[in-house]
Amino acid sequence: MIETNLPVLLLKELILLPFNEIRIEISKGEDKKVLNISEQNHENYILCVNVPDFVEEKPSIRHLPKIAILAKIKSKIELPNGLVRLVLIGIDRVEVLNYVEDNDNNLYSYVVSTKEYDFDEMEATALKRILLKDLNEYIEISPYISNNVLGRINGINNIGRLSDIIAFELPIDYHDKLKYIEMTNPMNRLKLTIEDLHKEIETVKIEDEIETTLKSKIDIEQRNYILREKIRLIKEELEEDNLKENDIKEIKQKLLSLQAPEKIKERIQKEIEKYEMLSDNSPEVGIIRNYIECLMSLPWEISTEDNKDISKIKNVLDNSHYGLNEIKERIIEYIATKDICDKDQSIICFVGPPGVGKTTMAKSIANALNKNFVKISVGGLDDVSEIIGHRKTYIGSYPGKIIQGLKKVKSNNPVFLIDEIDKMNSNNKSNPIASLLDILDKEQNNRFVDNYIEEEFDLSKVMFILTANDLSSIPTEIKDRLEIIELNSYTIEEKESIAEEYIIPSLNKEYNLNLTFSDKVIKEIIIYYTKEAGIRELNRCITNIYRKHITYSYDGNEIEDIKKYLGNYKYKYLYNNKCAKPGIVNTLAYTPYGGLVLKTTSVYYKGNGNIEITGQIGNVMKESTTIALSYIKENSEIFNIDYSLFTNNFHIHFEEGSIPKDGPSAGVSIVTSLISTLKKMTIPNTVSMTGEITLRGKILPVGGLKEKLITATISNIKTVYVPLDNKEEVMEIDKSITSKLKIKYVDDYMEIYNDLFQEK
């Protein structure tokens, strides 16, 4: 049997053996996803893989075992609290040939049946009789196993199945039981089962002796002492190492020096007492030990001393980021006001395309203030437990991302970056946005309670900073609490300066080289090998040049022939003016990743007046298309267009089909494209435009002007039509951009029509 792409469910501190059932409650979003994949694609079959106990979070593939249990979901119940209760039945041991992860971080496996073994039938029969005899004796003297197990094994001759059923019922240690998964030889499992059963019989007899001895010596009121004494005597009889007692002594020693409120110390002390009382075989041992460790590792009263020197803060920001003077000034004002006035302010939120320095700016703030820095990403997160933690009573539970971050940096006043806030999701069952609101609210975050730690933690000293690519996608309820600071796209000149002053000197130092790049070469890299608002791709390209220079031992230090290092041009912005045809119009667009010059193309053909729109567009652009066509129909006489043409079918396509597009700013381009098609007149390829249009031809303002105009300058665009209401915004844009363009401000579409279509 070979099964491919079998979904994987990770287990910790829980054992499933073939021919047995376990009940488990699932809370993590990724585990729920695995269950859905199993139901939909694999007939409820799933691979149960035990995670090594040294792995705290999701393990890497190289840590996962090669022997696992093939299981089937017998039943699944979705509980009101968002949990999923499962009954899993073990089918067989399988050998994992390979683990793989898909693009959504789902884990899959390629499995094959384990090796078949030959064994002596007579020896097997003898061992089976010994096992059954010992089992009957154990059931008679022990309260730990029910005699129902005898009914389960009645009539079973397969020694592998027999040992799996009995071993599963034995109250042995987790690590001891884990051996049964890894042991594929049924004869060896049978022998191991007999050995473990003998140990349990002897242990029960010793327990009875201890019970009898203690009852005669100690009063019933000293119950707690009895329990501890029982554990001690059992360990002495079995000649085991006293590891747990040493562990408890170490914990108590650490507790004496722990910087935490008395309430927390008392809670830890109670958990230690529970830990002492439990047997090593109890499944709660690991849960309580992990909980104690978590409480003691949190920085309850540990803070770093802030740097309050504004001039030093300014110097750090200047040395770490080129330009962005207005942004730096706003940050310094925010920090100074917060410190001097000692009053709560809104949370800083950096908004801008990828690669413009949002994360590095947050790191610089932490460095300038002498604070620790921690970052978490909430993009795509839809499980509230990831924010506020899981209940510690569940197997495999852990604290939320906030507590995990504080545990990592070991201070209660770090700069805490919450990345991709605009990509956070909510659903009917879980609303992480609401939980995040409580965390960001200064009025109540001093009493933040994570579900795992179950105690209040003061977050008021934490400096939260958020980042987003798209301001419009930030949930309204969160946006109200934010101090929005927008980081716009870099100009070509700014990218050149960053490359010359930061990237190249840094790489020369890193690779111990002295390479030089002319302004022409740097500009060539920016225009023809990168297409971004920030500088990530630029940094990668220049780094790649250094690697190629070292690898192939190129002569000289001056970089000239860039194609030798980076190959042929990756992007070609320059358009050929001779290729202009009716219906093709350049559209200035803005995406979360920067500006684009897209071609809007329209055609018409015989039909019944239907309109088709392609290019991965959203509902707003579809509405803009409908508005554009209605506007043209109403003014067909003014535009000198035969109204009978509107009985044809129309097809409008927006280039760069792989990029999702939406928004009203393509309205004027759509109108222009349709008129161009209907009048069979061409629009120069050096002309581009942006603006929302109404049914009456009014042109409304749009966003992303800086990014749009930057792209226009490198795309051989000479003339740009911009809404009149955007004039003040354009005037604030760097002259190095606007001086290269002829910008025409328009308030009504007739101004564009008279300029482009009016017969001379």
Side-chain angles (χ1 to χ4, degrees), residues 528-568:
Y528 297 111
Y529 294 94
T530 70
K531 193 175 185 180
E532 59 180 347
I535 58 169
R536 287 178 183 167
E537 201 170 355
L538 174 61
N539 195 359
R540 281 194 289 267
C541 286
I542 297 177
T543 302
N544 194 26
I545 291 172
Y546 276 80
R547 293 188 185 127
K548 289 267 177 63
H549 194 86
I550 295 172
T551 303
Y552 299 105
S553 303
Y554 290 131
D555 296 328
N557 289 326
E558 186 174 356
I559 306 299
E560 296 177 343
D561 183 7
I562 203 66
K563 289 185 178 181
K564 180 171 68 174
Y565 295 92
L566 301 177
N568 294 327

Side-chain angles (χ1 to χ4, degrees), residues 189-201:
R189 288 204 307 276
L190 182 62
K191 293 176 181 179
L192 181 62
T193 308
I194 294 172
E195 183 181 334
D196 286 339
L197 193 55
H198 279 165
K199 289 180 181 178
E200 284 298 312
I201 291 173

Side-chain angles (χ1 to χ4, degrees), residues 97 111 114 128 192 220 250 353 365 398 415 432 473 495 511 526 540 552 560 567 639 675 704:
L97 300 180
V111 303
T114 56
K128 178 182 167 183
L192 181 62
I220 193 66
E250 187 177 341
I365 292 173
Y398 50 84
V415 171
S473 299
K495 290 180 180 180
Y511 291 99
I526 294 170
R540 281 194 289 267
Y552 299 105
E560 296 177 343
F639 298 145
I675 294 176

Side-chain angles (χ1 to χ4, degrees), residues 182-234:
E182 302 165 352
M183 195 171 290
T184 57
N185 189 323
M187 183 65 85
N188 291 342
R189 288 204 307 276
L190 182 62
K191 293 176 181 179
L192 181 62
T193 308
I194 294 172
E195 183 181 334
D196 286 339
L197 193 55
H198 279 165
K199 289 180 181 178
E200 284 298 312
I201 291 173
E202 292 301 314
T203 301
V204 172
K205 290 179 179 178
I206 294 171
E207 283 181 339
D208 290 340
E209 293 176 6
I210 295 170
E211 191 77 29
T212 303
T213 303
L214 291 177
K215 281 183 178 180
S216 64
K217 293 181 179 180
I218 306 173
D219 192 88
I220 193 66
E221 295 177 356
Q222 297 176 298
R223 181 175 177 274
N224 291 341
Y225 173 78
I226 292 174
L227 293 174
R228 287 192 293 270
E229 189 69 10
K230 283 171 64 177
I231 294 171
R232 185 184 65 80
L233 290 173
I234 290 171

